[in-house]
Amino acid sequence: MTTTDAPSATTRVEPSTGAILTGPAGLPARTLGWAVLAWTIKYLRQPDGPDAGKPWRFSAEQVRFLLWFYALDAFGRFTYRRAIYRRSKGHGKDPLAAALALIEFLGPCRYGGTTDAGDPIAIPHSSAWVQLAAVSEAQTNNTMSLVLGMLEGSPAVEVYGLDIGKTIIYSRTGKLQTVTSSPRSMEGNRPSFALLNEVQHWLSSNDGHAMADVIRRNLGKSRDGAGRSVEICNAHVPGEESVGEKSYEAWQSIVEGRSQASGILYDSREAPPTTDMSDPVSLRAGLAAAYGDSAAWVDLDRIAGEIWDPGTPASTSRRYYLNQVTAAEDAWTTAHDWDACALLDALAPGDLVTIGGDGSRSDDSTALAVCRVPDGLLDLAAVWEQPDGPAAATWEVPRAEVDAMMAHLFGRYRVLAAYWDVAGWESYIDKWSVEYGDVLAVKASSRSAVGWDMRSRTKEFVQRGAETMHAAILDGTLIHTGHPVLRRHVLNARRRPNRWGVGWGTEHRESARKVDALAAATLARIAR
């Protein structure tokens, strides 16, 4: 994949609060969501609290999520086959999960044609089979208790002929059940909908991976092709490889064009990266931004007290309360620090720049970074990454495209230096040194105008590159355009101390989480 501008993304900043919002903006043109919402007002009840027994009401954020989850294409097919709803602790994810389960169990949740005016008609599933899945029985019991609370005093019990048990509810045409059993025993089920609860805790060690795989395979067999799932979670721990993390990475892969798949709705709301948890005013604003609508019922002062409690690790506070994905213990830098350096700016034709390049033939990514000389603004000019899925087996970096991109950059900007890691690119580096050497103010080495050998210059790369860049991130003097692929590669990097200082590297030699864009950016900064 070649990218000359930041890939289309659905992450944006809310102007009024600075909250980082992930998910489609606006409202869908075609959706069953309006019919779904009308049904919930009639049949669902507030399960607890001072308004217990009153008609259920979604918050505005939850309404927008439902409208997009039930969005349709021009042919009446669902736009999304699965969704992830990530929010802070206490937001109200479990009640949302319970409401979704009942909508899919009893409500008008399937496409039934159009009206004379062309609007979609929503109808119930003819034989709904809804599963509430979790890796612990306590979690499924919690969600089921909310389901039962929403049915308490509801006409749905009589209208749909419900037979209510503790772990399973039957209607005249379907069933809703909790699932925490062995993944093998679930193989072959044909659910119409599955709710995967707290997927940040679904790990390989507790059969979470196997359960998620089985559920998705089973949903794929649905007769109408509309079997879907919703995952609810807090922010995941990077490197833990939870189902929550894997779903986040799958969504990133689709957004960035590395995957041929589609149909994942990722909806998240997190505090601004500049939130200072030690400052009461900043923390209060950050919590208000992260909690959004739910700040109406969440005691933010109590949450602040939990954050300031000496027994609460800062990483836990950021994940659970600010809904921020925190760094792994050995991370080179954090999302909080990197995002705080983002600047709403872009390079312009004719700018004085330096170029950094790092590449491979097939497995690793190949990246070209550009650094503006006067102020140091970093941007990722292009990246070529191995695609996800079957296409990866035969993929190779399109070297002719890389060569063309170099020519484009030299034509667009006034390039003063270009440092490209030598390994595997010797012939092209010789070519570029001949073609562009005369216009470069600084040569990469005494032997090459462009070739910069990272293998023999480790000390310089660590001290002038990694450590200097890391210090600039921490003190806020580094600025970048916020390119999402560069961000991903930066956050993939792990601290690697050596005899010259602290550099960075991948998690392990065979890691799929690449750092080549960071290498290119580091070389561009050294060249500057």
Side-chain angles (χ1 to χ4, degrees):
M1 179 192 73
T2 304
T3 307
T4 54
D5 297 303
S8 61
T10 53
T11 297
R12 60 200 183 281
V13 177
E14 185 175 61
S16 59
T17 66
I20 306 300
L21 306 179
T22 301
L27 299 177
R30 291 169 55 83
T31 178
L32 302 181
W34 298 114
V36 165
L37 292 168
W39 181 89
T40 62
I41 293 171
K42 182 176 181 179
Y43 288 107
L44 301 189
R45 298 292 177 261
Q46 179 66 35
D48 52 21
D51 294 327
K54 294 182 179 180
W56 169 258
R57 293 290 190 274
F58 292 103
S59 72
E61 287 176 42
Q62 294 170 342
V63 166
R64 183 179 55 79
F65 173 74
L66 283 172
L67 292 176
W68 277 109
F69 182 64
Y70 286 102
L72 303 170
D73 65 15
F75 301 98
R77 297 173 301 203
F78 285 123
T79 303
Y80 300 105
R81 55 189 169 81
R82 65 182 176 112
I84 301 92
Y85 191 76
R86 188 183 108 205
R87 285 298 190 278
S88 300
K89 190 174 184 63
H91 164 83
K93 298 185 296 298
D94 282 320
L96 173 64
L100 274 166
L102 286 168
I103 290 165
E104 289 288 327
F105 180 38
L106 305 171
C109 59
R110 292 295 184 272
Y111 177 69
T114 59
T115 65
D116 292 340
D119 297 322
I121 298 171
I123 60 174
H125 197 287
S126 59
S127 56
W129 183 353
V130 174
Q131 293 183 330
L132 301 177
V135 293
S136 74
E137 186 175 347
Q139 188 60 60
T140 56
N141 288 343
N142 180 52
T143 307
M144 181 59 98
S145 69
L146 291 168
V147 168
L148 298 178
M150 288 182 170
L151 293 174
E152 184 72 28
S154 167
V157 177
E158 183 176 347
V159 170
Y160 296 101
L162 301 184
D163 179 5
I164 299 176
K166 290 183 178 181
T167 61
I168 189 165
I169 304 174
Y170 291 99
S171 70
R172 295 189 185 94
T173 59
K175 61 183 176 182
L176 182 156
Q177 66 176 149
T178 60
V179 175
T180 55
S181 58
S182 165
R184 290 191 178 186
S185 69
M186 296 168 58
E187 196 76 64
N189 292 178
R190 289 182 178 271
S192 55
F193 176 79
L195 193 290
L196 285 63
N197 208 330
E198 302 291 359
V199 290
Q200 78 275 9
H201 297 314
W202 290 39
L203 310 174
S204 177
S205 58
N206 60 19
D207 284 336
H209 290 185
M211 279 186 65
D213 290 344
V214 169
I215 288 170
R216 289 172 189 155
R217 286 198 298 271
N218 289 342
L219 288 168
K221 297 186 300 183
S222 60
R223 292 180 181 177
D224 58 2
R228 301 192 296 161
S229 64
V230 170
E231 302 168 27
I232 62 173
C233 60
N234 298 120
H236 58 269
V237 178
E240 199 170 47
E241 297 195 343
S242 65
V243 169
E245 180 177 24
K246 287 180 173 293
S247 291
Y248 177 72
E249 291 178 343
W251 169 77
Q252 279 191 318
S253 182
I254 290 172
V255 168
E256 294 173 6
R258 290 177 287 121
S259 173
Q260 292 178 298
S262 62
I264 295 180
L265 171 62
Y266 197 97
D267 192 296
S268 176
R269 180 187 185 94
E270 61 185 84
T274 53
T275 301
D276 182 353
M277 293 193 298
S278 66
D279 178 73
V281 175
S282 178
L283 177 59
R284 177 72 186 218
L287 287 172
Y291 277 87
D293 293 344
S294 62
W297 62 81
V298 174
D299 187 339
L300 298 185
D301 292 330
R302 169 61 188 272
I303 298 297
E306 294 292 340
I307 290 173
W308 291 329
D309 190 310
T312 307
S315 59
T316 298
S317 295
R318 289 201 177 276
R319 284 196 299 113
Y320 281 102
Y321 303 124
L322 300 183
N323 198 32
Q324 296 173 334
V325 177
T326 59
E329 289 185 5
D330 62 343
W332 181 65
T333 192
T334 68
H336 169 259
D337 288 332
W338 178 256
D339 293 343
C341 295
L343 187 67
L344 190 61
D345 197 0
L347 290 113
D351 277 351
L352 295 172
V353 304
T354 56
I355 293 174
D358 183 64
S360 72
R361 179 175 292 276
S362 56
D363 181 52
D364 285 340
S365 303
T366 291
L368 272 168
V370 179
C371 185
R372 192 160 60 193
V373 173
D375 61 358
L377 180 69
L378 268 176
D379 190 29
L380 188 60
V383 61
W384 296 262
E385 299 193 278
Q386 186 182 66
D388 291 339
T394 57
W395 182 81
E396 288 190 356
V397 175
R399 297 194 165 205
E401 289 186 17
V402 180
D403 185 31
M405 180 54 67
M406 282 288 281
H408 170 76
L409 295 179
F410 272 87
R412 181 179 177 84
Y413 305 114
R414 295 168 60 191
V415 182
L416 302 184
Y419 289 5
W420 189 288
D421 184 30
V422 173
W425 287 80
E426 291 83 356
S427 61
Y428 277 95
I429 285 170
D430 289 342
K431 174 178 180 292
W432 295 331
S433 293
V434 171
E435 290 180 354
Y436 309 122
D438 289 344
V439 302
L440 298 175
V442 178
K443 312 303 182 186
S445 73
S446 59
R447 293 177 292 180
S448 174
V450 175
W452 202 95
D453 193 345
M454 290 172 60
R455 294 167 298 185
S456 64
R457 302 172 75 171
T458 306
K459 178 180 179 181
E460 185 177 0
F461 189 82
V462 169
Q463 295 180 345
R464 290 187 59 208
E467 291 194 331
T468 301
M469 187 171 179
H470 186 259
I473 293 170
L474 292 181
D475 63 26
T477 57
L478 182 143
I479 54 175
H480 60 80
T481 61
H483 196 292
V485 179
L486 177 57
R487 179 185 191 271
R488 172 163 52 83
H489 283 222
V490 167
L491 300 184
N492 284 343
R494 298 293 181 262
R495 298 175 71 253
R496 294 292 178 261
N498 56 42
R499 58 177 172 161
W500 294 293
V502 179
W504 49 257
T506 57
E507 291 175 309
H508 52 79
R509 183 176 292 275
E510 302 302 322
S511 176
R513 298 184 174 99
K514 303 304 180 183
V515 297
D516 306 277
L518 172 56
T522 305
L523 286 175
R525 278 178 53 87
I526 294 174
R528 173 179 180 256

